[in-house]
Amino acid sequence: MKNFNGRVLFLDRSDINTDEIIPAKYLTESTKIALKPNLLEDLVLEGFDPQKDIEGKSVVITRDNFGCGSSREHAPWAFEVNGINMVIATGFARIFRQNMFNCGMMAVELDATAVDELFAEFAGEETAIETDIDKGIFTISAGEISRQISFSISEYDLSLVKAGGWVEFADQNY
Amino acid sequence: MGKTIAEKIFDAHLVDNPSGDIQVVRLDAVFCHEITTPIAITDLVARGKDRVFDATKIKAVIDHVTPAKDSKTALQGKILRDWARRHNIVDFFDIGRNGVCHAIFPEKGFVRPGYTIIMGDSHTCTHGAFGAFAAGVGTTDLEVGILKGVCAFKKPLSMKVNISGTLARGVYAKDVILALISKIGVNGATNRVMEFSGNVVDAMTMDQRMTLCNMAVEAGATSGICAPDKVTVDYLWPFIEDEYPTKEAALDAFNVFTPDADAAYTDVIEFDVTPLVPQVTFGFKPDQVKPVSDMEGEPIHQVYIGSCTNGRFEDLEIAADIIKGKQIDPGVRAIVSPATPDIYSRALSAGIIKIFMDAGFCVTNPTCGACLGMSNGVLAEGEACAATTNRNFNGRMGKGGMVHLMSPATAAASALTGTISNSPLFQPGGDNQ
Ligand code: SF4
C-alpha cells in the first residue's frame, strides 16, 4: 500500500485538466519515471511555479472537476513519481478518479464548503496531512492549528488501494 | 420502472457487483491505439501477464502519430505491432491501412448496438452513436480489459438530451454539441451517460451522430449514446446481412436497446435548435462558446479539418463545397486530414481532394496529427487555429497556441478569409431552412 501522508500542495482552481497535469507531448514516454520533471508544467494558475512548488509535496488539495480531459493514466503516474499519492478535491472527472484508485492511489472528495474551509484556513501555510484510511480520517495541520476531517471512499475503492490496484484485484477475482 | 439504454446494456453484460454501485461488465470489444496501449502492454509483460482474453475482440490501430515522427513514437508503434503479431490480433491497422481510431473502427463494422466497448482514449464515447456503451478508460482498466475482457463502472446514470426543432442551413451537429456543452458546462454531465434523442437526432446521419457523441466527454459524460434505429441498421447492413434475414429483423433485435418511456434520468435537457447559429470556442475550455458572428474577424494562422470529430466524408464534402474554385487567404496555412484511407479514397474519387489542393490546402495521410499537437501541424506560440477537432485546452495543438473549435463549414470559410468567419451557407437573419 502506498503512503498518504506528507506536505500539502494547494491548487486553487477548478477544472484543472489532464493536459495541464501532464502535456500530451510526454505521452510518447514508455516509462513512468520519465514524467517526473513535467508534472503540472502547463498549469494555468497565478503564482504557481512547478519548479519550486511541487518538490517535497505528498498531497494535493484542489477544487472541482479535477483531472478533466483525456483518459491518460499518465496524469496519476506523473503525481505518483513525484511522491504524490493523494488528491483531495471538491470533485473529480470520472476517468481520472478511477485511474487513481486503479493505481492504488487516493482521490478523496469533500463537499465544497469543507474544501473552502481548508483553503481559507491552511492555504499559504506550511501544511501537512496524515491519513488513516481504515478510519476514513485525515489530520491536517499547520503550526499550532490542527483539524481532523473525515472522508468516505467506497469499500471497493478501499480494496483496490489495499490490493495495490485493479490489475491484481481483477486477475484474482475474474 | 423502465430502463435507459445504458442500463439495458449493463443488464445484458453484468458479471459481478463487487460493492454498492460498482458493476463489472463483460466487454464485447477492446480498442487499442499506439499512445496508451504500449505502456499497458509493457506493464502486463512486467507483471508476467502477457495474455489477451480474446484476440478477435481486440482491435488495434496506429493512428495518433503516423508515420512515426521520432524514435519514441516509432517505439510505441513497434510495441503495438509486435504485440498484435504475438497474440494473433487480426484486426490491426498499420500504416497504409490506418486511420483515426474512432473513424476507422465504426467504418469496419466493429461497433454494434448493445455492445460494451472500452479504449484508452477519452473520445471512445463516439461509438455510442450506434447505441453501444463505449467509454474511455485509463491504462489500468485497459490492461484488465485486454487480460480479462471485463471492466468495472459505476452503475450508469443517464441524462436525457432531447434535441428538437429544425437545424438552419449551415448549422451542423458540431454547432449543436458546442452549444450544448456551453449550456451545461465542462462537468455538466460528469458520471452520467448523455442519451441523445429527439427529431433532430433521428434525422441525423451516422457521421453526424458520431460528431455529437464524440464530444459528450467534453461535458464530462462517461459516454454519449443514441438509440439504434433504421439509420443505424442501414449503416451496418453490409456487416450484418449474414446475421439477419432482413433489415427489419435486425432492427427488431436492436430495439432491445432502445430506452423505455418511463426510464429514470438524472436530468432531462430540452434543446430546441431552431434558433441555433454556427458556434465557435474562444478560450481554453470547450464550454467557452460564442456564436461565430461574435468572433468574426478574429485572425487565425492555421486551419485544420480532420480528427475523430469532423474528419469524415460528409465533413470533407461540406468544406469542399465552400472552398470550391476559391483560394485560401495567403496569410493562413490550411491542412485537411481525411480520417481514414476509405474516406480519403472516396474523397479522391469524388474530386474533393483536388478541390482542397487547388484551394491551397495541404492534404495529409489519415492520422490524429495536429489534433493533439504531436505532429502534422503543431502551432507556434501565439498562433491560433480554426479547427474541426474537439479539444481547445491550453497547449493542445502546441505550447502557447490557441485552438478555436468549430464545424467544417466554419473552418472552410475561415480558411478563405484568414479570420474566423461564418460560412456562406449560413445567412444570418435569412431563410436558412
Ligand atoms: S483525432 Fe484527436 S481527439 Fe480524436 S482520437 Fe485522435 S487525438 Fe484523440
Side-chain angles (χ1 to χ4, degrees):
Chain A
M1 205 173 66
K2 293 188 159 45
N3 174 36
F4 306 108
N5 308 319
R7 290 170 57 204
V8 179
L9 170 63
F10 286 91
L11 301 176
D12 193 2
R13 218 199 81 196
S14 285
D15 305 320
I16 291 176
N17 65 59
T18 49
D19 278 65
E20 293 176 279
I21 296 170
I22 186 81
K25 59 177 183 260
Y26 302 116
L27 304 189
T28 56
E29 298 298 344
S30 299
T31 63
K32 295 182 186 182
I33 195 72
L35 305 171
K36 191 162 191 267
N38 310 109
L39 176 66
L40 295 170
E41 80 174 19
D42 280 351
L43 179 64
V44 182
L45 182 65
E46 191 70 37
F48 175 74
D49 178 357
Q51 304 297 342
K52 285 200 241 117
D53 297 344
I54 296 170
E55 183 73 41
K57 303 289 170 31
S58 306
V59 177
V60 166
I61 297 183
T62 182
R63 301 281 184 178
D64 203 8
N65 198 28
F66 187 78
C68 60
S70 93
S71 62
R72 67 188 67 150
E73 204 152 313
H74 304 68
W77 294 337
F79 282 113
E80 187 185 9
V81 294
N82 277 283
I84 297 172
N85 292 320
M86 176 150 119
V87 180
I88 298 164
T90 315
F92 294 94
R94 177 191 62 92
I95 302 176
F96 179 84
R97 185 187 170 285
Q98 192 62 50
N99 285 342
M100 289 286 284
F101 287 106
N102 282 348
C103 292
M105 298 162 74
M106 296 265 284
V108 172
E109 260 169 355
L110 298 180
D111 63 39
T113 326
V115 171
D116 282 348
E117 282 168 15
L118 292 182
F119 271 97
E121 206 163 351
F122 295 99
E125 306 294 323
E126 181 64 50
T127 305
I129 272 182
E130 221 171 287
T131 310
D132 183 332
I133 67 162
D134 288 307
K135 291 204 182 103
I137 289 176
F138 65 79
T139 308
I140 179 164
S141 45
E144 303 287 281
I145 322 166
S146 171
R147 286 180 50 197
Q148 283 207 334
I149 312 276
S150 57
F151 61 89
S152 68
I153 58 170
S154 74
E155 223 174 284
Y156 171 68
D157 287 336
L158 189 62
S159 57
L160 293 180
V161 172
K162 288 189 169 170
W166 165 235
V167 176
E168 294 306 326
F169 183 91
D171 208 21
Q172 285 160 26
N173 288 281
Y174 302 111
Chain B
M1 181 55 84
K3 297 210 154 106
T4 63
I5 305 178
E7 284 170 334
K8 290 188 174 187
I9 297 174
F10 270 53
D11 282 357
H13 291 80
L14 195 65
V15 170
D16 188 21
N17 187 207
S19 91
D21 58 348
I22 302 292
Q23 301 194 324
V24 177
V25 294
R26 174 177 54 78
L27 299 171
D28 294 305
V30 177
F31 293 162
C32 299
H33 65 54
E34 91 282 15
I35 297 294
T36 50
T37 314
I39 207 152
I41 296 169
T42 313
D43 191 56
L44 285 171
V45 170
R47 290 173 191 268
K49 298 182 199 286
D50 182 23
R51 316 188 296 266
V52 301
F53 81 109
D54 183 342
T56 66
K57 292 183 175 164
I58 296 179
K59 318 287 176 186
V61 66
I62 295 179
D63 64 347
H64 276 57
V65 189
T66 174
K69 71 181 171 84
D70 54 20
S71 312
K72 281 182 179 170
T73 51
L75 177 63
Q76 288 183 304
K78 178 175 163 35
I79 294 172
L80 192 70
R81 188 179 295 122
D82 290 351
W83 170 77
R85 282 215 186 105
R86 183 158 86 233
H87 294 289
N88 199 21
I89 294 164
V90 179
D91 294 317
F92 167 61
F93 302 93
D94 208 335
I95 193 152
R97 296 197 165 74
N98 59 0
V100 176
C101 49
H102 309 308
I104 200 165
F105 292 143
E107 187 185 279
K108 297 284 177 191
F110 296 155
V111 185
R112 302 292 167 79
Y115 264 24
T116 49
I117 301 169
I118 62 162
M119 180 172 198
D121 191 283
S122 57
H123 294 103
T124 307
C125 50
T126 312
H127 308 285
F130 291 83
F133 176 85
V137 296
T139 309
T140 306
D141 277 342
L142 179 64
E143 284 182 42
V144 172
I146 289 169
L147 190 63
K148 308 297 285 189
V150 297
C151 192
F153 289 97
K154 273 195 175 164
K155 199 169 160 350
L157 299 172
S158 299
M159 158 194 276
K160 192 176 188 71
V161 185
N162 193 31
I163 307 173
S164 62
T166 318
L167 279 177
R169 206 167 78 93
V171 182
Y172 304 93
K174 182 63 159 286
D175 302 302
V176 173
I177 190 67
L178 285 174
L180 196 59
I181 295 165
S182 102
K183 224 170 140 89
I184 66 174
V186 286
N187 62 351
T190 300
N191 281 322
R192 275 160 293 168
V193 174
M194 286 173 100
E195 194 183 287
F196 297 108
S197 62
N199 67 295
V200 174
V201 180
D202 295 344
M204 282 183 178
T205 62
M206 288 314 297
D207 279 12
Q208 293 160 356
R209 291 180 194 180
M210 283 191 261
T211 301
L212 194 66
C213 289
N214 176 269
M215 291 193 70
V217 70
E218 305 305 333
T222 309
S223 189
I225 205 162
C226 301
D229 62 6
K230 196 173 163 307
V231 179
T232 324
V233 173
D234 285 342
Y235 183 103
L236 289 175
W237 190 243
F239 308 104
I240 60 173
E241 56 184 349
D242 295 339
E243 295 168 32
Y244 301 96
T246 60
K247 286 186 177 179
E248 289 68 35
L251 189 56
D252 275 351
F254 296 154
N255 270 338
V256 174
F257 298 107
T258 50
D260 294 328
D262 58 343
Y265 297 94
T266 57
D267 328 61
V268 177
I269 294 184
E270 295 291 342
F271 188 19
D272 176 2
V273 295
T274 308
L276 188 68
V277 300
Q279 306 285 307
V280 59
T281 62
F282 60 88
F284 293 130
K285 279 164 61 188
D287 61 359
Q288 293 175 303
V289 176
K290 283 183 188 171
V292 171
S293 49
D294 286 9
M295 290 280 286
E296 247 169 344
E298 185 80 19
I300 49 164
H301 307 88
Q302 176 169 297
V303 173
Y304 185 75
I305 297 177
S307 89
C308 59
T309 322
N310 284 118
R312 295 189 182 78
F313 187 76
E314 285 178 21
D315 302 318
L316 304 193
E317 226 179 3
I318 290 165
D321 202 31
I322 291 164
I323 58 165
K324 188 169 187 174
K326 305 201 170 77
Q327 294 290 306
I328 62 167
D329 183 86
V332 292
R333 47 191 195 270
I335 299 166
V336 58
S337 184
T340 70
D342 188 59
I343 294 165
Y344 197 135
S345 161
R346 284 168 65 202
L348 206 51
S349 308
I352 289 173
I353 297 297
K354 179 126 179 32
I355 294 174
F356 278 114
M357 294 187 74
D358 288 348
F361 268 76
C362 160
V363 184
T364 81
N365 64 299
T367 178
C368 296
C371 174
L372 80 163
M374 283 174 79
S375 62
N376 265 352
V378 180
L379 300 176
E381 215 161 319
E383 287 189 327
C385 182
T388 68
T389 57
N390 49 33
R391 237 168 223 171
N392 55 348
F393 294 167
N394 189 17
R396 173 74 177 182
M397 205 174 270
K399 204 177 174 108
M402 165 65 81
V403 178
H404 298 290
L405 306 175
M406 59 185 74
S407 75
T410 310
S414 304
L416 298 179
T417 59
T419 61
I420 292 177
S421 302
N422 254 316
S423 96
L425 298 177
F426 176 75
Q427 305 285 328
D431 181 12
N432 275 291
Q433 305 294 318

